[in-house]
Amino acid sequence: MSYASRRDRRGRAWNALSAFRFPLSTFVPVMFSKVSTDAEFVRGEHDVLRFWREHRIFDRLREQNREKPRWSFIDGPITANNPMGVHHAWGRTYKDAYQRYFAMTGRALRYQNGFDCQGLWVEVEVEKQLGLGTKNSIVAHGMERFVDACKQRVLTFAARQTEQSQRLGFWMDWDDPATLRKLAAGIGTSEPVTITTPTGKTATARADELVARLGNPEWGGSYFTFSTENNETIWTFLKKCHQRGKIYRGHDVMPWSGRGGSAYSQMEVAEGRKLTTHKSVFVRFPLKGRDNEFLLVWTTTPWTLTSNVAAAVNPLLEYVRLRAKRDGAVYYFAKENLEFQRLAKEFKEGFGRPEWDWPKGVGKLKSIAQIFKEQGGFDVEGTLNGAQMLGWEYSGPFDDLAAQEAPGGVPANLALVAQTGVSCHRVVDGGRDHEGTPLVLAGEGTGIVHIAPGCGDVDHVLGKTLGLVAIAPLGEDGRFVEGFGPFVGKEAVDRQTAELVFEELRKKNLLVAVEEYPHIYPHCWRTGDELVFRLVDEWFINMDWRDEIKEVVREIEWLPASIDGQTREIEWLSNMRDWMISKKRFWGLALPIWVDEDESVRWDDPAKFEVIGSLAELKERAVSGWDEFAGHTPHRPWIDKVKIRSPRTGNLMTRIPDVGNPWLDAGIVPFSTMQYNTNRDQWRKWYPADLVTECFPGQFRNWFYSLLSLGTMMMWDEQDPPEPGKRRPFKTLLGHRLVMNEDGKPMHKSDGTAIWFEEAAEQLGVDTMRWMYLAHNPAVDLRFGRREKDKPVTLQTPEGPITETVEGFPTCLVTSKPADEIRRQVLIPLWNTYAFFVNYARLDEFDPQSQPVPVVERPEIDRWILSNLQGLIEVANTELQAFNAPGFLREAARFIDDLSNWYVRRNRRRFWRSRDADDRDKLAAYQTLYTVLVTLTKLLAPAIPFITERMYQNLCAPTALSPPLSMTALSPPLRKGGQGGAGEPVSTPESQRHATPPNPPFLRGGNAGAQGGNGELSVHLCEFPVVDPALRDPQLSERMALAQLVVNLGHGLREEAKLRVRQPLPELRFACANSQSHAAIEKLADVIQEELNVKKITGRDNLDDLVHYNFKPNLKTLGPKFGKGLSAIGKALSTIDENTLAPLRRGESVTLSLDGTEYQLAPDDVLISTQQAADWVAADDQGVQIALSTVLTPELLREGMARDFVRQVQQLRKAADLEIQNRIRVFLATDHAEVMAAIAEWDAYIRSETLADTITGVATAPPEVKPALIGETPIPIWIEKA
RNA sequence: GGGCCUGUAGCUCAACGGUGAGAGCCGGCUCCUUAUAAGGGCCAGACGACGGUUCAACUCCGUCCAGGCCAACCA
C-alpha cells in the first residue's frame, strides 16, 4: 500500500471526528487521535482538571458508589494558616491514591477533608498581620475583631489550600474556594450572605452563622475544627473526663511565654527546645551567726535569685569548707564539685544533636577550684555531710525587696501568712523525686540548690512539701510585678535584667563569678522566644488512665512496620505527664469549665467548678448572658458572657477565660465529623476508620496521641458491648517521614529553600510528584529536590502565567533528580508506548471492537505480556490493600520496562506489516497491546490520575462531550479545527453542565471494545482490574525470562568479543542443566536469534567440545554433610582432573577419597561453570550455558556492512526530519570493493528498509558530508527526499 | 547516664549463617534503535573496629568507635 493513501485516510479521520460531535447511536466511528511523542505532562494535567470539572467525574464516582460497602478514612486536619508546600503533598497523595483505589474497587467513601483552625499558631500570624505585639494590645484592638480576623485568616487559607489540593488531583468533597473567600469577607458583618454548599443546598445567614456550620453532613464540604459541632463534641469529651474525675486545676510552675502570654504544654515545649547560652552566676549567701561564712550557690537564671526562698542540700553528700585567700571568706559546697570538669563531655561532643554543637566563642568552663585559684587561691579546711548543714539560716541576696517581706509570699498563700520569703531562708533537704533520685546532686552546680518555689517546677513541689512560701515575680507579660524594687517592669528573659542582677549582687559583695553557660533551654516553638517558668493556674486532664489507651494502641496496625510506631506511642504514653489543656489566649476552643466566683469556696471543694457537656446544657443552666451570646459561635468573647448558678452555694459561676489545647480540636474529629452526637447510628457505620495517614515525627505525641486518648475516653461509657477493636478510632495508621532538600537537609520558609506547592506542580508535573511520593519508602526522609531562589521563573498555571504566589513570593526554579528519573524511566516510556500504539493504530484503522483473536491463538509473546499483566494486577491489589504503594509501583515500573523494552521492541514489525499480509497476527498484536494499555491505565489511575486519564480518554472514551484530551498535542492541521471544533476542548456552558445525564447512552459506543474499557466516561469510574486466571501462565513468564537471560548473556559476549550486534554471527549453541529450560529456549529460539543476530541456534546436551569446566563446592549443601571436611573438598575440586568429575554434569554422583576419608558428592553438591575455547565465546548463568561462534565469513561481513548502511541511512532520515512514509534517494562515495559488493548484494533489502528509490555511487561527496562507518570503513553517505 | 535504630561502592539504598555481597544515581567506554531528548552492556568495594560462637559471620553474641532518633535535663 502507498503511504499517500494513508494521508487520505487521515483526512477522513478528521471529518469523522467533526461529525462525532453529534451523537449518532447508529454510526460510531472508531478513531484514535494522533498522539505527540512529547507528552507535555503539565499541560495535559491542566486539561484533565478541566475535563473532570466539566464532566463532574468526581460526582459521578460518588454517585456510582453511594450504596456500596463503606471504606472509612479520616483526614488529619491540615493547619489552614499558610499555603501548602511540597511537604504537605506527600501525605495528601497517599490519601488520594488509597481513596481512589478503594473507590475503584466499589466502596463508598466520605471524602471529607479537614482544616485545623484554632490555636496559637493562627493567633501569631494574625498578630503579625495586624501589627499587635502583646495580649494587651489585642484586648485594646478588641477581642471580637481579633477573633474575627482569625476566622478570616483560616477561611482564606482554607480556600487557598483547597485550590492547591485540587491541583494535586486530590479528590475530596471540597467547598468552592470562592464561597470560602466570600464567607471570609463576610465575617464580622451583620449582612446576610447566601452560599451554595457542596451538596447543592443554598443557605442564607450571617457569615458567622454559616461558618459555624461548615462541614455538616447536610451541606458536605471540608470540616473545620472551629465549627460549633467540633467544639461542642470536645465539650462532650471533657464532660466524660469530668465524670470520671479527671479534670483538675493545677497551681503550678509551668513554662510560660511572656510575649505569647500563655503557658506551654509538654507537647509544645518538646517542639521548641534549643541550645542557647545564659550568663550563669556563682553567688554567695551569707550564713547567719557564722561570720564571713557563705553558702556557694549557682544558677543559670539569675533573675530567679530575687525570689529565692531556701537552699537545698543532699544530706548524704559530702561538702567542703573552703577558705578563699582573697578575703578570708569561708564557702560551703559539694566536695566533688571543687575539681569537677563541668560540661566536659558536651564541650567535646556537643549536646546530643548535630545542630547542638558547643557554641562558638564560648570557652571551656572552669572548675570551681580554678575560679578560686584565679581569685587569689584557697585552702580546704575540712568536710562535712549535708545533713550537718540542715537548718542553717542565711540572708538572701535580695531580702531588701518588698516581695521578700510579703506575708505568705507573692501572691499571698493564705495558709502561710505567718511566713515570708526571708523567714524561710534556711538550708533544707532537697529530697528525692518519684524515681528515688535525689534532687540535689554533685556535678554541674555547687551541690547547694537555690530554691525559688515561684520560679521553678521542682522548687515549687519542694516548697509545697516543706511549707515554704512561694514568691512569683513575673506577670503574664513575663515582666517583674510590683514589689521587686529596681526590677519592676523588667523582662525576665532580657539579658539586661541579668546584668542588673549582677550589678546588685556586686554592690552587696555577693557575686563570686559570672560565666557564659550553654544548655538546652525551652523556647517558644513559633517565635523562638525563651520561655520562663512561672507560677500559673492551668487546667489539666489527669492521665492516670493511660493504660486504657495503651490497650487501644495495641489494637492498631502501625505502618510502616520498620518504624514500630506502636512501641513509640506506648513509650510516649508511659512517659507523658498530665495533659495541660488550658491556654490563656483568645482564639480557640472555649473550655467549658465554670467556676464558683465566691473566693471562700476553696479549690479542694468539688463544687468549686463544673464542666458543661453541651450548649443545650449550658442554655438550660444559664442565668445570665445567654441572650448576648446567642447567635454567636461558642468562642471568646461571646461565650464568656454566659453565667450559671452553683446549685450548692447559689453563687454565680463564670467560665474560666482559658481556651483549649488545639490537639483536642484535631483529636475529636472521629466523633465530631461522623455525627457521634447527632446521629449515633450513622456514626457507628463509619467508626472506626480503616485508615489514617500523616507525617509521623511529632505526631506520636500530638495527633496520634490526641486521637487515641480522646477515642478511648469517648468510648468509655459507650453502651455497645466493648468488643475488641471497637474502641480504636482507626484500624491502620500509615506514617511517613519528612520531605527534605536534595542533600537531605530540612527546607525552610525563612531562607527561601522551601518549595511552594505550585512551583513544583507546574514545573515537575503532579503525576511525577505523586509517583515520587508513592514509590518512596515512608520510613525514610524524601529528598525532594532544590529550589533555586535566585532563579525566578514564570509558571504556566491552569489560571494562566504567574511570577509570584498569591502571597507575593516570587516563583523560582525547582530541580529534582528523583522527579527527572521517574519521568525518564517510567512516565515517558509509558507515554511513548501509548503513542506508538495509537499512531500506528490510527494509520491501520485498528478497531478495538473487532472480533478478538482468541488468546490461545495469539503468539507466545502476546500471551507472555498478558500473563505478566495478570501478575501486575495481582500485585496491585495485594499491595494497595496492604497500603504498600511502593511495592506496587516497583512492579509497575518493571512491567512498563518489559512492555516498552521487550514487548514493543520485539513486536514492532508486526505493527508495520502492510495490510494484506497476515492480518490476523497483526490484529492479535494490536488487540494485545490495546488490552495491556487499557488495563495499565486503570491499574495506575489511583497513582497517576492525569496521564492515565488522557490515555484512557483516547483509548476508550472519545465522546462528543469529551474531545480526547490528547487534542492539545494534535498536529497543526488538526488543531486548526477552530472555534468550537474538535480541536478545542469544548467548554460546556454553565447552564448545560448540570444537565449532563450521568451516563450518556452514546458513551457505550466509544472505543470500548471487549478487551478495553467498560465504556465509562473516565478511567476513574472504571472498576479496578482483577486477575483473569485464564490468562495466567507462570511457565510462560519463566520461559521468556530465560530467553531474556540468554539474550543478555549473548549481548555480554558480543561486547566482550567486540562484535557489534549488527554484525551477524554464524551460530549460537546452548546447553541446559534441565530439559525444561532446554525446551523453553528452543521454543523461543527465533526471538533469541533475532535479538542476537545469529544465523543458527543449536541446542546440545553439553558444550564440552567448546568449553572447559570449573568445579566449586556448594557450601550450602556440603556444609551440613561434611562440616570440617569442607576445605579439603574445595581444594580437591579446583585441582582434580576434569574427567573424574564429568559424571556430575550428567547428573551422577562422584565419590572422592581424600586423606583417607570418602566423600560422596551428589550433582547438587558441586557448582559448575564454564570457560571458553577458541573461536567461541562462552558464558553461563543459572544453569544455562551458551557459546557464540566468532567466525566471520566474507558473506557475514557483507551482511553486517549492509545493516550498518541501513542504520546510517536511517540516522540521516532522522536528522533530516523526514516523515516515516517519505521516500528518498541515497548517495555514497566510495571505491571500497567489499562495501560496494555488500550494497549490491543487499540492494533490495536496503531500499525496502530505508524507503530508498535509488542507491547511487558518486565519485566525490559534497564537502559537508561527514563519512559514516560501514564495517571498518568510513564512507560519505547522503540522502535526498524523492 | 537512659531507651531505640543505623554504620555496606563517590552518593542513595538492598540482601543473606554458606558459592564471585546486589541495585539505582554520577562518570567513562560501548552497543542497539523509522515508539523512546529512551534503553542495553561493561568498568568500583579491607560489608565501622576488635573479640567470641560456628565447618562457615556482613549476617548471631559481646565490647568499643561513629552517626541518627526518642525521652529527659539540673538548679
Side-chain angles (χ1 to χ4, degrees), chain A residues 4 14 20 28 56 133 156 234 259 397 657 694 734 768 798 838 879 999 1009 1151 1172 1183 1188 1192 1265:
Chain A
W14 160 237
F20 201 51
V28 183
R56 304 186 5 258
T156 305
I234 302 172
R259 200 170 121 206
E694 291 303 317
L734 172 62
T768 313
V838 165
E879 298 295 11
N999 271 315
T1151 303
Q1172 66 207 33
L1188 211 47
L1192 296 175
V1265 174

Side-chain angles (χ1 to χ4, degrees), chain A residues 180 402 588 1263:
Chain A
L180 296 178

